[in-house]
Every structure is written in C-alpha cells, then in structure tokens.
Amino acid sequence: MGGPQKIPAFCTQCRSRCGCIAVVEDGRLQGIEPLPDHPTGQALCPKGRAAPELVYHPERVTTPLRRTRPKGAADPGWTPISWDEALTEIATRLSLIREVHGAEQVAFSVTTPSGSHISDSISWVERFIRAYGSPNTIYGTEICNWHKDYASRFTYGHDIGTPDFANTDCVVLWGNNPAATWLARQVEIQKGLKNGARMIVIDPRPTVLAKRASQWLRVRPGTDQAVALGLANLLISSGRFDRAFAGTWTNASLLVRSDTGHFLRQSDLRADGRSDVLFCHAGEGGGLLACDATSEGSATPVLRWSGTVETLSGPVLCHTALELFAREVAEFPPERVAEVSGIDPGDLAKAADIIAGAKSVAYYAWNGVGQSVTATQTDRAISILYALTGSYGRKGGNVPGGAAPFVDISGQDLLSSEQRDKALGLAERPLGPGLQGWVTARDVYKAVLTKAPYPVRMLMSFGTNLLVSQPDTETARQALSALEFHVHADFFVNATARYADIILPVATSWEREGLRTGFDGSLEGLRHVQLRPPVVAPVGEARSDTDIVMGLAAGLGLGERMFDLDADRGHNAVLAKTGLTVEMLRGSPAGIVVEGAAQLDAQAAPHDGRPRGYPTPTGKIEIYSERLLLAGYRPLPGLDVKDLLPVDANYPLRLGSAKSVAYCHSQHRNIDSLRRLVPDPVVEISPDDAAARSIVQRDWVRIRTRSGDVVARAAIVPGLAPGAVFGQHGWWVDGGDGTPYDRSHPLAANLNAAIGTDRADPISGSIPLRCSWCEIEKMAGEPRSA
C-alpha cells in the first residue's frame, strides 16, 4: 500500500509523553521517531524506542484468564475465559459486596499515570471508582506526586506549577533528575542553560546535571529540609529576598498570637485596644491583623515585628509570621546545615548567592524529597524558600495552572461525603491523600488481614505491581492470599497478578485512543492538545482500561454517571470550554495549539474589583499555616534533627533508590533491548565505602536492613555522597539460572522488601524509600552466570 505509514502520536512510556511519529507497516508497529515540531518531540529515550518490543512481546496477556488452582500454587492454572464471562463475574462481585457490606469494602489499585500507559484512561478509571462508591484506591501518591501537587497547597494554594526553565535565570533541581526520567523537561533545561541560566542541583548523586551545575549541593539522603531551612536563613538574615512580593503576596506580615498560635483577628481586640502598628485585612482574610505598612513612613511592609497587643483576654505577645519563620531557620546556620547534611558551608553560601542574585528562579522537586518521614514539611520548607524569591507565578519561575480551561471528569463530585470519610487512614492523616480517596497499601493490607476498621474483601488492580512497588512485601503476600476476590488488569502476569482470581488483558497506548490536554514539559506545551489515534489494532483480545471500566459500569447500571458509556461525550466535556471537539482533534492527529497562554502574575489580576490572591485560608502564600496548626501539625516547617538519625548502629549507610533511563518503576525489565542496557540490579556505592567492605566493581552484594535483605551488583561511583548508597526498586523478573535472583528467587532483588514502614510522614503517610539505613556486604562465592 505504498510503504510504511507515519502517524503522529505521543509516547506514554514515562512522564515525558514525548511527541513522536509511529511507523506502521502491514498493520504492525515498526518503531517510533521524534516529532520535532511537537512541544515534547525533540528526542526519544530507549523506553520509547522499544515500543514494538512491548506491543508484540510473547508474554503479553491476550485473553481474559481465570485461576483454577489455589493461591500459592506454583502454577495458578490459568484458563482462558470470554470477556462477557469475566465482566459479568466481576460486576456481580462488585454489586454483591456493595449491596451487602458497602462499597468501601472493595479497594482498587491504580498504577501511576506519570509513568505508565494508564495516563490515557486515568480520569475514566477514577470516575468509575467514585461512581461505584469506593473511597479506597491504592494510588502510591504518598510516595510519588502528592507532595509537589498537594502538600505544596499548604503554602501556595496551588501545586508546584510548571517551571519556565527555558526563560529562567536560575534552574534549581531538587531531588529530581530529568535526564533519566523526563526527557522533554531536560530539553527545556538545556534551553535555559544556553540562554545563560545558572543551575543549582541538590542531589547526593553525581548525575549528569549535577556535574554541569553552577553549584552542586551533595546532600545526604533525607536531610533536604535542613538545606532548605539553611538557604532560607541566609536569604532572610541578609535581607536578600523579595520584600515587596513577601509583603503583598505572602502572609509574612500577619500577626500570630503567642498564647494560641492562631492569627490575631479584629474580633480579638478590645474596643479601645487597637494599635497603630496594625491594620485590618478585609474580605477573605476574615479580619486578620498585620503589621502596618505605613508605620515606618514607607510603602515597604514591616515583615519582622514583635510586640504586645491588647486583646479581650488581656495583653498578648504577637509576632509576624516571617519573624517566627526567621527564628525557625536561624536554628540552621551554615555550620549546622553542614553537620546535618554534609554540605560545605561555602557551597551553601554560593547557592544562596546564586538564588539571591537571580532575576528569576524556576525549580522542580519530586521523589528525591517526597519519599521520607519528613516529606510534607520538607516540601513546606522548599516552597517557603521559593516564595521568598518572588518568582512563583512569574515569567522564568514556576507558573501554576494551565493554558486553557479543561474540565476534570475524574468524578470527585460523585463520591458522597459519607463515603469519602470512610477512606482508610484518613482518621490518622486528616489532611493527607485520603481526602481524595487515595490510601496507602499498608492500610489496605491491615484491613484485609485484621478487618479493621472494616474488612476489605475485594481488590481490583489496574496495572499495579504491589509486591515490588511498595514495601511490606510479606504482608502484601498474606493480604493478597486472603482476599475473597482479586482482579488484575495488565499487559503481563507480573508478580502481583499471580495472586489474582481473574486477569484482564489491557491494550497498550499504541493500540487505543488517548486524549492529552496539555504537555507540561514547558509553558508553551500546555497549549498543545492532542488525541492520539490507535496506531495498530490490539493484540489478541486486549482492551483499553477505558473500555474495561465502561463494560463494568454497564453491568453495574452506572452508565448515566459514565457519560452514557460514550467516551467521545466524556472527552467533549473535557474540551467544552476550549471550543475544541474530539472530531476536530481527529482531523489534526499531530494536535492543535489552543489560544491563550499560562497566566503569569494571575494572583494580581483584578476580580470583582479586587486582586485574586491565592486559594489559601488567608488568600496569600502561607509562610505560617494555621490550617496545619488546627489539624495538630507544625504551622512552620521546623525540623527535629533526631528524626534523621539512624536507629541502629549496625546499619550505618543511608539507603536510597534511583531511577534508570531504561526502566520506569517495575516495568520494562522483560524487554530485551532495555535489559541489555541494565541487565542486573545495581547498588551505587562510593569508592571509600566499597573499599572499607572489600567490594569491587560488579561484585554481587547483599543489602541488609532491619526489615530484610536484597541482592544487587555493586556499582562504584566516584563523587557519590559518602555514607550513601543507591539501589533500584522494581526488580521482579528473574535473572536466569545461577544468579542470586534466578527463577527460584525472582524477588531476591526486590529492594522494597528491605524498606521498613514503621515510621511514616504524619501528614501524607510517605515512607523512607529514599532515606532508610542499611549495611552492605560482599556475597560469598560468585554466581555461575556472572
């Protein structure tokens, strides 16, 4: 038919979502190529280029399967069944449990849309779960995106925003390595550097970008909060922060009562007790009181003030929010930051100088700071430090929001407040991910095994692999074995799917349609909307996740809540405010650029005659958070250094994990071309730490913690922070006969089996995947395959 077809598309193998051309010949995907005119299409990583291997992998699940042997049997005895039979049985189970016990007794598990093909269907899957009525979805958000997307709202009222790296004067990468995880974002950073931007990298590892940085802060894993507080101290103590921005757009000048910790309000004052150093904030501020901007005869706000104010209960000592924060960060001068984090005081000062001297700063922080027992307050410390630069929401900074008014159809409004309040773990973490119905795996395991606070009887999983993507591996085995019913939808029978009762074959993104409303690698990319067509027919009987939930919704009578089971209707609802339709997008498969742009300085745009402000309780960026205080948490991101110390002298090394460009989470290790790039699990160790243990390059070693042990090959990395080691999570595919993780022990390399969950972030529930404690020892003998 005239040679290969070249179809505009975008890749969903990872977070980058790179624009590409799918090359198809005789109905088969032959490969993908860059699409340079696309906002994320300048280059492709190995995962994207391996797309045909994934689509046509011989181990793909191609028909629904039912277990015929007991759980725990070496062979589950999978037997093919029809889609009608599978969907009928699943819908019947879902209906019965909801009617007899309540929808909360069914938990769902959904893989990350940031790093998997489910990004095409995530809104539909979440809408189905909420329409069904379950408040319990294991989403892994507490160890992934929650801090940058939701904890940041305790400060900004928005998420971290899209960093305008291409137009910034200063790039800050904090626990984030886009060279391995987000190729399109890496391209934007390169643009900024070519335009003269300076770069600060805070990372224990000598990454490619760390080596290129104007200043690399080689932080010890888990001590990032101390670094943020130390940098803020240097800016505040020297007065090198944006005072005008802080005075206008943060709550720095609001007065805090020393007796209650609450903000001082107009209603607190005696009739004759008004002080001339105060003025009243009207509107959303609710009568909050702050330093008088005119008391010094200057338009510059008084941000640091302490004094006594006459209240109804008598004189009360008050301080500004910034004064209290300044006292907090003063506990972390450069010398103490060095003691805690290992960063030389001179290096910390140089980083502060770069930030203070930059006209604009753009930053990104992700897993590196989000997987710890202090993750939420670490995000608070970084966010407040960033707010002091005045760059949030401005050109060259981090810009919240999108470029067009897309509608969210994930169904937050479909779950009743009564059901929402039943989310597992929400009582213990009332401001955490449970508010959105996202629960931790360990809370679900507990409910399965102890039936508290109520039993979880059924689990339906969309693409997850809980045994290796989460800790508590043995507890997970017990819980998966104890479920009354378990359904798993995926491309392959992974380690977790082996415990399922029914497995459903899922189509890859190359075999189904996918709507992308904005590509957030850049501000310009936010304007790009694309409906990717299915470039090839599904392999076997595979169906998209969207089709699967539509089929279940039909069986449960939920069609009305699912846009009458019409995906086009739902997608048109998403697009309604933009003037676009799915038919328009089908006519432009490379995508359409919408009019408008991400809003800069949106907080200052007039609204009903008043500035908009920020969607926080005070209407301002919150240095001091009364919301956290009222929930029993620290209103300022103070740090107790004892939280960072080892609990056992037998485990002196700080254990973290890092991602590889070849893999994404627990995916891709069965793809031959990618496995050749990284054939075995590795653990990075510094030369000094390796020498002290008689370990040489590529030795098989055992990583031991108080919670378990795993195997890996040693990778000796010059420049790695001393005392820090980095493994790779996600290994479950065996390494062949003779390796320490052969067919008899495929999970021997499962790093998360060695991570404890006895300590967790009190707000989000995050656990120390990036900052546990371990010891490493050389294994006796050498595997035959080495």
Side-chain angles (χ1 to χ4, degrees):
M1 299 292 293
Q5 291 178 278
K6 295 199 171 185
I7 305 170
F10 59 88
C11 178
T12 62
Q13 297 290 120
C14 75
R15 182 65 179 83
S16 194
R17 292 163 186 151
C18 295
C20 63
I21 292 290
V23 181
V24 177
E25 189 168 16
D26 296 330
R28 286 180 65 89
L29 179 64
Q30 300 297 323
I32 64 172
E33 301 172 351
L35 182 58
D37 291 338
H38 193 282
T40 61
Q42 287 73 37
L44 295 171
C45 78
K47 294 187 292 294
R49 293 187 181 279
E53 292 179 79
L54 172 66
V55 173
Y56 304 114
H57 198 286
E59 295 175 359
R60 279 280 303 272
V61 180
T62 58
T63 186
L65 301 172
R66 176 188 280 126
R67 168 185 297 279
T68 60
R69 294 176 183 161
K71 294 181 182 181
D75 179 2
W78 301 118
T79 298
I81 57 175
S82 71
W83 270 105
D84 285 346
E85 189 176 359
L87 292 176
T88 297
E89 182 170 353
I90 296 165
T92 299
R93 292 272 192 164
L94 287 169
S95 179
L96 182 63
I97 292 175
R98 184 176 60 180
E99 291 173 9
V100 176
H101 305 289
E104 68 275 8
Q105 296 196 17
V106 176
F108 293 81
S109 182
V110 180
T111 192
T112 170
S114 294
S116 73
H117 294 231
I118 207 170
S119 60
D120 293 334
S121 301
I122 185 62
S123 292
W124 290 104
V125 172
E126 288 199 295
R127 187 176 184 87
F128 168 75
I129 293 169
R130 289 164 178 150
Y132 172 73
S134 175
N136 295 317
T137 300
I138 303 171
Y139 200 30
T141 187
E142 76 283 355
I143 52 174
C144 187
N145 67 303
W146 191 82
H147 300 91
K148 72 179 182 64
D149 291 343
Y150 287 87
S152 59
R153 300 178 193 217
F154 295 131
T155 306
Y156 306 132
H158 295 286
D159 63 17
I160 193 173
T162 300
D164 188 13
F165 282 139
N167 297 300
T168 194
D169 293 307
C170 177
V171 172
V172 178
L173 296 176
W174 206 315
N176 179 230
N177 182 21
T181 60
W182 196 336
L183 192 57
R185 182 62 57 74
Q186 161 86 340
V187 170
E188 293 301 304
I189 291 171
Q190 299 297 342
K191 292 177 184 177
L193 297 180
K194 287 180 180 178
N195 289 334
R198 305 185 75 185
M199 181 165 63
I200 299 169
V201 173
I202 302 100
D203 200 307
R205 303 172 64 235
T207 64
V208 171
L209 290 170
K211 293 175 181 178
R212 290 193 59 190
S214 305
Q215 186 59 59
W216 172 30
L217 300 182
R218 192 174 62 167
V219 60
R220 289 173 182 150
T223 65
D224 303 86
Q225 187 178 349
V227 179
L229 296 175
L231 287 170
N233 176 52
L234 290 174
L235 296 186
I236 292 174
S237 62
S238 64
R240 295 180 299 165
F241 63 98
D242 192 328
R243 290 177 62 87
F245 184 89
T248 303
W249 298 116
T250 82
N251 67 5
S253 62
L254 293 188
L255 291 177
V256 180
R257 298 175 55 131
S258 61
D259 56 344
T260 64
H262 296 168
F263 288 121
L264 184 70
R265 289 170 166 81
Q266 181 70 33
S267 58
D268 294 337
L269 297 183
R270 289 171 47 184
D272 60 349
R274 177 98 180 232
S275 168
D276 63 2
V277 300
L278 305 177
F279 73 92
C280 180
H281 281 295
E284 291 84 358
L288 298 175
L289 296 175
C291 293
D292 186 352
T294 64
S295 64
E296 290 186 342
S298 167
T300 302
V302 180
L303 302 178
R304 297 180 67 177
W305 180 88
S306 302
T308 300
V309 177
E310 287 293 329
T311 70
L312 293 172
S313 59
V316 172
L317 182 64
C318 295
H319 311 277
T320 65
L322 185 66
E323 177 73 29
L324 293 175
F325 183 65
R327 293 182 182 187
E328 199 82 66
V329 300
E331 297 294 318
F332 290 89
E335 294 73 24
R336 190 173 190 218
V337 174
E339 179 185 339
V340 174
S341 71
I343 294 172
D344 181 87
D347 290 342
L348 190 75
K350 290 175 185 176
D353 289 344
I354 293 171
I355 293 172
K359 293 180 181 179
S360 60
V361 180
Y363 85 107
Y364 214 69
W366 204 343
N367 291 164
V369 297
Q371 296 180 346
S372 78
V373 297
T374 63
T376 302
Q377 295 291 16
T378 295
D379 183 272
R380 281 272 292 147
I382 294 172
S383 297
I384 295 171
L385 166 66
Y386 185 65
L388 294 175
T389 70
S391 291
Y392 188 71
R394 293 179 169 175
K395 182 175 181 178
N398 284 46
V399 182
F406 300 110
V407 176
D408 178 13
I409 63 165
S410 64
Q412 287 282 0
D413 58 320
L414 299 180
L415 193 64
S416 70
S417 58
E418 178 185 10
Q419 283 300 103
R420 193 182 304 275
D421 290 345
K422 295 177 184 178
L424 295 169
L426 184 59
E428 295 81 6
R429 299 179 295 276
L431 298 182
L435 286 172
Q436 284 77 38
W438 301 326
V439 302
T440 69
R442 59 191 183 279
D443 281 335
V444 172
Y445 302 158
K446 175 185 173 184
V448 172
L449 296 172
T450 69
K451 306 188 187 311
Y454 49 78
V456 166
R457 302 172 184 274
M458 175 177 170
L459 176 68
M460 181 158 190
S461 300
F462 290 88
T464 53
N465 195 355
L466 295 176
L467 284 177
V468 295
S469 63
Q470 294 270 357
D472 282 339
T473 303
E474 187 51 41
T475 305
R477 291 183 199 269
Q478 295 172 20
L480 293 173
S481 297
L483 286 165
E484 292 180 12
F485 197 62
H486 178 192
V487 180
H488 190 101
D490 214 327
F491 306 148
F492 304 102
V493 181
N494 64 28
T496 303
R498 289 181 60 82
Y499 288 83
D501 296 286
I502 288 179
I503 295 177
L504 302 177
V506 178
T508 70
S509 61
W510 308 106
E511 303 161 286
R512 64 193 190 200
E513 201 168 58
L515 176 65
R516 173 59 43 195
T517 53
F519 292 77
D520 61 350
S522 65
L523 294 184
E524 185 62 23
L526 293 174
R527 302 174 58 212
H528 198 88
V529 184
Q530 189 173 1
L531 187 70
R532 188 201 58 249
V535 299
V536 292
V539 171
E541 298 176 31
R543 295 185 182 181
S544 73
D545 300 281
T546 302
D547 286 341
I548 291 172
V549 295
M550 291 293 199
L552 292 174
L556 290 164
L558 298 176
E560 185 177 350
R561 291 189 163 197
M562 298 289 288
F563 294 97
D564 293 329
L565 309 181
D566 185 340
D568 280 4
R569 276 195 58 197
H571 287 158
N572 279 331
V574 172
L575 299 167
K577 295 181 180 180
T578 68
L580 298 177
T581 65
V582 289
E583 286 306 314
M584 292 169 64
L585 291 172
R586 287 194 182 109
S588 301
I592 295 175
V593 177
V594 298
E595 294 183 3
Q599 292 297 300
L600 301 175
D601 296 313
Q603 79 283 353
H607 177 63
D608 296 333
R610 296 176 300 171
R612 291 183 182 274
Y614 291 86
T616 62
T618 62
K620 296 175 178 288
I621 291 177
E622 301 214 324
I623 291 174
Y624 189 95
S625 173
E626 195 177 60
R627 183 186 180 197
L628 287 173
L629 177 75
L630 293 173
Y633 304 113
R634 289 181 173 182
L636 292 165
L639 173 63
D640 187 344
V641 174
K642 293 193 295 293
D643 290 339
L644 309 180
L645 298 177
V647 294
D648 192 329
N650 292 317
Y651 304 101
L653 298 174
R654 298 170 187 261
L655 174 63
S657 61
K659 295 179 181 177
S660 162
V661 72
Y663 306 128
C664 192
H665 302 300
S666 68
Q667 304 169 89
H668 308 130
R669 286 168 179 80
N670 58 346
I671 304 297
D672 288 344
S673 67
L674 300 178
R675 191 61 176 271
R676 287 193 293 271
L677 293 176
V678 185
D680 294 308
V682 301
V683 58
E684 298 175 1
I685 186 170
S686 74
D688 288 348
D689 290 328
R693 293 160 176 79
S694 301
I695 294 170
V696 300
Q697 195 80 288
R698 291 187 57 77
D699 270 348
W700 282 103
V701 299
R702 190 172 300 279
I703 307 167
R704 294 189 297 104
T705 72
R706 292 202 309 163
S707 300
D709 59 85
V710 295
V711 300
R713 280 196 186 273
I716 300 175
V717 179
L720 183 68
V725 295
F726 282 82
Q728 296 176 340
H729 94 281
W731 283 86
W732 61 273
V733 177
D734 71 76
D737 294 338
T739 66
Y741 59 109
D742 62 18
R743 290 178 177 82
S744 300
H745 304 284
L747 292 182
N750 173 22
L751 184 67
N752 282 342
I755 305 298
T757 61
D758 52 321
R759 297 174 67 231
D761 182 281
I763 300 175
S764 68
S766 180
I767 42 185
L769 295 169
R770 299 293 177 109
C771 51
S772 293
W773 295 91
C774 75
E775 180 57 285
I776 292 185
E777 59 190 24
K778 183 174 181 176
M779 294 178 66
E782 183 73 4
R784 291 191 302 274
S785 66

